Amino acid sequence: MTEYRFIVVNTDGEIGFITLNRPEVLNALNRTMVTEIVTAMEEFDRNNNIKAIVLSGSGRAFAAGADINEMADDDPIRLELLNQFHFWDRMGAIKKPVIGAVHGFALGGGFELALCCDLLFAAENANFGFPEISLGVMPGAGGTQRLTKLMGKTKALEWLWLGEPMSAKEALQYGVVNRLVAPEVLMEETTRFARKLAKKAPLSLRLIKESVLKAVDVPLLEGMQFERKNFYLLFASRDQKEGMNAFIEKRQANFEGR
Ligand code: CAA
């Protein structure tokens, strides 16, 4: 397995865990850390034993944003040449379910990282926000796009313009997170949900994710055609035969992801 400096990677059964691990700076995301997160996600994505990925933060935060010290002296040409957002695009291309377990601060790039997850479990003390406006910048890793698609233009603008934090309760209310749980059971509840997903037919999980992500971007008819192709494709899988035979034979299906 790859050696990492700023994250901890481990597995438990069919679940892959990635833990942001710079607690002394509230897991501020430096560039190496972002490449490590993507590398670990892609390794799990390729690993047939792993069915779902859980992303969380160590210490008292999920992540308090991009590392401000690292980018304070940046200029546009350096940013263009670094092409850092290419790594963020790769996060969005992970095929397996990615569940974020968020406690404490999820700010700026940390919120954007959370928004890259497919589902979010939040501790009651979670605190989401885009404080970039106070730094004289704006989100650049998908924040304005993903937040708007989740909660609509008017609410997204309010949060992005004011830069004020959104409580976990508000995040739940606006559909940004799936579940709110007590901080002490955040990992347990998230892992329990991930294990539930791990029991499902892997190819169905994968193509459902692909189809739902498509729905966010394309007109309805185009999305329906995309869905239909994926539906047909699943009839080429052994798991479709297994799932339907198991129903007819009144037994539990044994999915292989093939
Ligand atoms: N970058 C670098 N260091 C950070 C950081 C960040 N984003 N966030 C926190 N830290 C560091 C602090 O500098 C501090 O380090 P020292 O102990 O060496 O001083 C340490 O983490 C602990 O932080 P605080 O003492 O400030 O903790 P607090 O509880 O008093 O405050 C906080 C917590 C409100 C989150 C505050 O740390 C804060 O405002 N952080 C910055 C949040 C922010 O602006 N994030 C957006 C970054 S820009 C971005 O993400 C752009 C993008 O889209 C790509």
Side-chain angles (χ1 to χ4, degrees):
M1 225 183 220
T2 314
E3 294 270 311
Y4 296 107
R5 236 178 108 195
F6 298 117
I7 60 172
V8 174
V9 174
N10 60 293
T11 60
D12 183 1
E14 296 176 311
I15 314 302
F17 293 88
I18 301 171
T19 310
L20 312 179
N21 195 30
R22 283 184 91 200
E24 68 286 0
V25 286
L26 306 180
N27 298 320
L29 300 159
N30 63 26
R31 289 172 184 135
T32 306
M33 196 171 170
V34 172
T35 59
E36 288 186 355
I37 295 165
V38 179
T39 305
M41 282 185 176
E42 289 178 343
E43 278 188 10
F44 282 145
D45 219 22
R46 285 191 297 269
N47 180 342
N48 288 337
N49 299 321
I50 296 300
K51 301 285 169 29
I53 302 165
V54 172
L55 180 67
S56 64
S58 65
R60 64 185 173 98
F62 178 73
D67 189 326
I68 297 169
N69 297 314
E70 191 181 52
M71 65 184 164
D73 294 327
D74 274 340
D75 64 68
I77 300 303
R78 181 174 144 72
L79 289 172
E80 169 63 23
L81 294 175
L82 272 171
N83 194 18
Q84 182 66 17
F85 292 127
H86 152 74
F87 292 102
W88 291 80
D89 293 342
R90 279 165 51 185
M91 268 183 227
I94 298 296
K95 305 273 189 188
K96 288 180 184 165
V98 181
I99 311 177
V102 178
H103 75 289
F105 299 106
L107 303 177
F111 193 3
E112 288 175 306
L113 182 60
L115 291 173
C116 282
C117 297
D118 300 312
L119 307 175
L120 286 177
F121 275 54
E124 285 151 353
N125 66 1
N127 193 305
F128 300 86
F130 282 118
E132 281 89 339
I133 193 141
S134 309
L135 300 169
V137 288
M138 61 179 280
T144 61
Q145 305 303 298
R146 289 203 169 99
L147 191 69
T148 305
K149 284 177 194 263
L150 273 178
M151 63 186 348
K153 180 192 94 172
T154 48
K155 272 290 153 200
L157 271 176
E158 183 182 330
W159 257 291
L160 287 154
W161 272 343
L162 290 179
E164 289 172 359
M166 180 195 301
S167 70
K169 223 169 158 181
E170 286 169 296
L172 181 71
Q173 186 187 338
Y174 293 116
V176 174
V177 307
N178 294 76
R179 301 268 198 288
L180 211 57
V181 298
E184 56 279 12
V185 295
L186 175 65
M187 285 313 290
E188 188 185 321
E189 290 295 316
T190 312
T191 306
R192 200 152 65 92
F193 190 89
R195 287 197 206 296
K196 255 169 118 166
L197 288 184
K199 297 262 170 299
K200 308 288 179 192
L203 286 169
S204 299
L205 282 176
R206 181 184 174 113
L207 295 188
I208 287 170
K209 171 168 173 172
E210 198 176 82
S211 301
V212 169
L213 294 184
K214 188 65 123 185
V216 179
D217 287 330
V218 301
L220 181 64
L221 192 56
E222 196 181 327
M224 301 271 282
Q225 283 164 347
F226 186 83
E227 177 193 74
R228 209 155 297 159
K229 293 277 190 291
N230 279 338
F231 175 77
Y232 294 153
L233 181 60
L234 287 174
F235 279 76
S237 71
R238 289 212 289 260
D239 283 351
Q240 176 266 328
K241 302 286 175 290
E242 167 62 11
M244 293 194 179
N245 285 335
F247 174 81
I248 292 162
E249 293 160 15
K250 300 191 187 306
R251 61 173 174 84
Q252 196 74 25
N254 180 22
F255 294 120
E256 298 171 69
R258 295 264 180 258

